[in-house]
Amino acid sequence: MYDDAYYRLQLLDLDDAGLRATASSLANRHPAGPSAVRTGVLNVTDSAAQADAFQAHVAAFGGVQLVVLNAGIGERGDVFNPSNAGWQATLDVDLTAVLHGVRAAAELMTEGGAILTVASAGAVFPMPVAPVYAAAKAGVAHFVRSAARTLASRRPPVRLLALCPEFVETPLVTKLMQEASAGQTDDPTKAKRLLGRLDIQLLPPRRVAEAGAVVLIVITTLSPNYRQAARLVTTKRLYGGSLVAAPPPGTLFVRRVFAGVNASDINYSSGRYHANRAEAESKLPFDAGFESVNVVVAVGEGVQGFAPGDCMAALSYGSFSEYGIEPARTALPVPRVAPEVVALLTSGLTASIALEEAGRIKAGETVLVTAAAGGTGQFAVQLAKAAGCKVVATCGGPDKARLLKELGADRIIDYSRESVKEVLKREFPGGVDVVYESVGGEMFEVAVNALAPRGRLVIIGMMSAYGSGWAPGNYPGLAEKLLWKSAAAVGFFLLRYAPLFRTHLTRLVQMWEAGRLRVALDPRVFVGVEAVFEAVEHLHSGRSVGKVVVQMPTELPSGVRGVAAAAAAAALVPASRL
């Protein structure tokens, strides 16, 4: 394997003991023995010493054909801290010394050769936790791009290359990870830079894995067709198959267990939750999924109120993934990891806050809930009943009608069997006081016409239009109808009410745990991030009964119930469907 005629190696480093150990190991496997491997202690920031070391190699071996410029250090303190000057060393070692090394090596390669610089994936992707390190490595990569042609034009040519690896298991990285795990590092940025996980497969830099590969879904093109818009991304294995994460200050590194599917997932994949299409396209690719229930794996510096092993809920983009980094300030503590808790997030919070803040429901009023057997409609029915209201609920199909009967609806209108418009006109001639409306289209018009004087119609969505591109509705006479009744149509978008999340979620969880709020889960089981596509289609098919939830890991943590078991335990749907 080793040809004594050309294999001559010189190792340069600050660590003399490490050099000698490495040299001995290599020499023992070389036919020429110790004479084939030389060592020298070198501080690469001393450009003259670096040039002398290269000259010594030529003097000893007669020439040089390959130089690997591998020396590097991590982030040294916070660049935005006025009292910290340590960050300059990162530039000196990782960038300036490399440029001096390239120049010194090129001068000696009279017979041609190759110079390999070791940059980083951080040269290509942002590293918010290590900006100086990223800048240095980006400088190396761009220097190579810019200077390679000049060296290649020489006769004989010199090849100039840049290697941009992800984390590699080295003693330095191992030491940093051990320090981060034990909380021993006196330099927080050493731990923080372990999160510089960068992947060319559309993986956002903040995604890391505790073990194995990380799978997530990102939106890569704008479309209401979820399979066209979204892409399943699998990252490469990280560091030796495992990583102890050191999250950035103020954040939590979490393992996602359950994620909820919502009608608005295809609104997001269409770019409708950005200011305009141009802005949405400029953000591509972006993470998918709105809500999840998670287990905390690690906490960042300064985080209070959370510890590894705690359960928390998140209402944030990126929930369709196996792992995530969540801001601690928006994390919602929950008593357990359960699929029912997912249902209480977007769906439960929408019902609770919308009825209270926008609908202003009062005891004795009549409330109409459309799509009442869906993820959010089920809670609107129960919360309106709990407030002392009479509830009229619409649905499509006998299974959904049975569910609504169990949830306490006073009048159930199965639109597959009778006309919603005719029932409302005949049985509620005085109108309904509040409408909780999520269907849109013809149903919206029926609801407006059914409003009582001073009634309130709360628009939480228009699901019937999502799949076709959400074309603007046309409702002639809407203003006049509202005017003469002194009625109101109020839009409701959950994220506008973020300050109320913790209060309302705490109340909902308490009601659920006390048995005063039932959670209907669709009994169909979806397991793995890849199952999200089918789950979205199932929701929009109209066949779902209750909240659609996806189990992120293939195996649940000990003691955690899956969706089917939770649905069966709640006895919310016929056993034949479980």
Side-chain angles (χ1 to χ4, degrees):
M1 176 178 178
Y2 300 103
D3 186 345
D4 185 54
Y6 75 85
Y7 179 74
R8 294 290 187 269
L9 179 65
Q10 177 147 325
L11 307 177
L12 303 170
D13 200 296
L14 279 173
D15 181 2
D16 185 44
L19 278 172
R20 294 181 184 278
T22 303
S24 176
S25 174
L26 293 172
N28 289 337
R29 293 182 289 161
H30 195 287
S35 64
V37 182
R38 291 169 52 90
T39 64
V41 176
L42 173 65
N43 181 348
V44 294
T45 61
D46 185 338
S47 60
Q50 189 172 196
D52 290 344
F54 291 1
Q55 288 281 5
H57 176 91
V58 173
F61 297 133
V64 59
Q65 288 75 45
L66 173 64
V67 173
V68 179
L69 302 174
N70 183 55
I73 61 175
E75 198 88 351
R76 292 291 178 91
D78 184 358
V79 68
F80 297 110
N81 182 349
S83 64
N84 172 51
W87 60 269
Q88 182 63 48
T90 303
L91 291 179
D92 294 341
V93 174
D94 293 2
L95 177 58
T96 305
V98 174
L99 270 58
H100 284 300
V102 170
R103 186 175 66 175
E107 290 177 355
L108 300 174
M109 289 183 168
T110 56
E111 298 180 2
I115 304 170
L116 176 63
T117 66
V118 179
S120 165
V124 183
F125 295 94
M127 291 185 68
V129 297
V132 177
Y133 175 85
K137 294 300 186 179
V140 170
H142 202 53
F143 172 77
V144 169
R145 293 190 192 98
S146 304
R149 182 172 296 182
T150 298
L151 294 182
S153 65
R154 291 187 177 184
R155 292 294 176 266
V158 174
R159 298 177 63 203
L160 179 60
L161 310 126
L163 179 66
C164 297
E166 299 175 1
F167 279 123
V168 177
E169 186 173 358
T170 65
L172 174 62
V173 173
T174 300
K175 180 174 182 292
L176 288 175
M177 288 185 171
Q178 290 172 344
E179 290 176 344
S181 177
Q184 296 171 346
T185 177
D186 57 359
D187 183 355
T189 58
K190 286 184 179 180
K192 287 190 293 183
R193 80 181 184 90
L194 299 180
L195 283 169
R197 172 71 175 106
L198 301 162
D199 192 284
I200 61 173
Q201 300 182 63
L202 304 178
L203 182 66
R206 56 194 169 86
R207 301 295 181 194
V208 295
E210 181 187 27
V214 181
V215 179
L216 71 155
I217 289 179
V218 292
I219 306 301
T220 60
T221 187
L222 303 182
S223 171
N225 184 319
Y226 207 75
R227 289 190 185 271
Q228 292 180 2
R231 175 179 170 182
L232 185 71
V233 175
T234 303
T235 76
K236 299 174 182 177
R237 186 171 293 271
L238 238 148
Y239 157 68
S242 64
L243 174 69
V244 177
T251 69
L252 304 171
F253 174 38
V254 302
R255 176 65 165 106
R256 304 203 191 281
V257 182
F258 296 109
V261 176
N262 296 280
S264 49
D265 282 315
I266 63 174
N267 287 337
Y268 191 52
S269 70
S270 302
R272 296 172 189 147
Y273 292 160
H274 294 81
N276 50 57
R277 186 176 181 86
E279 179 189 329
E281 289 178 341
S282 73
K283 301 293 185 182
L284 293 172
F286 46 80
D287 296 357
F290 300 138
E291 57 183 352
S292 60
V293 177
N294 317 274
V295 175
V296 175
V297 176
V299 299
E301 181 184 353
V303 172
Q304 296 181 349
F306 288 98
D310 284 352
C311 303
M312 57 80 66
L315 281 164
S316 59
Y317 298 126
S319 293
F320 292 156
S321 62
E322 291 184 325
Y323 291 83
I325 298 293
E326 294 290 346
R329 62 181 177 82
T330 59
L332 301 168
V334 293
R336 72 185 82 169
V337 169
E340 293 95 334
V341 176
V342 176
L344 296 175
L345 296 176
T346 301
S347 298
L349 288 173
T350 295
S352 181
I353 299 174
L355 288 175
E356 186 173 302
E357 298 290 326
R360 306 189 309 279
I361 60 172
K362 299 186 293 290
E365 291 187 317
T366 299
V367 177
L368 169 65
V369 181
T370 64
T376 186
Q378 60 168 309
F379 297 115
V381 169
Q382 295 180 81
L383 294 174
K385 284 295 294 181
C389 299
K390 182 176 184 178
V391 176
V392 182
T394 73
C395 67
D399 286 345
K400 297 183 179 184
R402 281 193 291 270
L403 168 63
L404 291 173
K405 183 177 181 180
E406 293 178 5
L407 296 180
D410 296 286
R411 175 60 163 100
I412 301 164
I413 308 174
D414 180 352
Y415 56 75
S416 67
R417 300 186 176 189
E418 53 185 339
S419 165
V420 175
K421 178 180 179 179
E422 293 302 320
V423 170
L424 292 174
K425 186 176 181 179
R426 179 178 66 252
E427 299 182 20
F428 302 91
V432 296
D433 302 293
V434 177
V435 180
Y436 185 86
E437 216 297 272
S438 61
V439 178
E442 183 180 347
M443 184 65 76
F444 173 83
E445 192 166 6
V446 169
V448 170
N449 292 335
L451 276 176
R454 302 184 69 177
R456 290 88 67 197
L457 188 152
V458 183
I459 307 167
I460 67 150
M462 43 205 70
M463 188 175 177
S464 64
Y466 292 167
S468 60
W470 201 358
N474 182 18
Y475 304 104
L478 176 61
E480 292 79 3
K481 293 176 182 177
L482 297 176
L483 175 64
W484 81 267
K485 292 182 178 180
S486 291
V490 183
F492 180 86
F493 188 63
L494 181 61
L495 295 183
R496 304 289 186 189
Y497 294 84
L500 301 178
F501 287 176
R502 183 166 294 203
T503 300
H504 279 259
L505 182 60
T506 299
R507 184 192 308 165
L508 290 170
V509 170
Q510 290 174 347
M511 292 177 66
W512 167 60
E513 290 191 312
R516 293 185 288 112
L517 184 67
R518 302 180 69 181
V519 177
L521 297 175
D522 187 89
R524 185 164 174 182
V525 177
F526 298 96
V527 178
V529 181
E530 64 276 8
V532 166
F533 298 94
E534 193 174 358
V536 170
E537 292 173 349
H538 176 63
L539 175 64
H540 284 274
S541 71
R543 296 190 299 270
S544 63
V545 180
K547 179 71 176 183
V548 177
V549 176
V550 179
Q551 174 187 312
M552 293 292 111
T554 55
E555 294 185 9
L556 287 169
S558 176
V560 176
R561 294 178 305 164
V563 175
L572 293 179
V573 292
S576 60
R577 292 181 56 87
L578 294 177

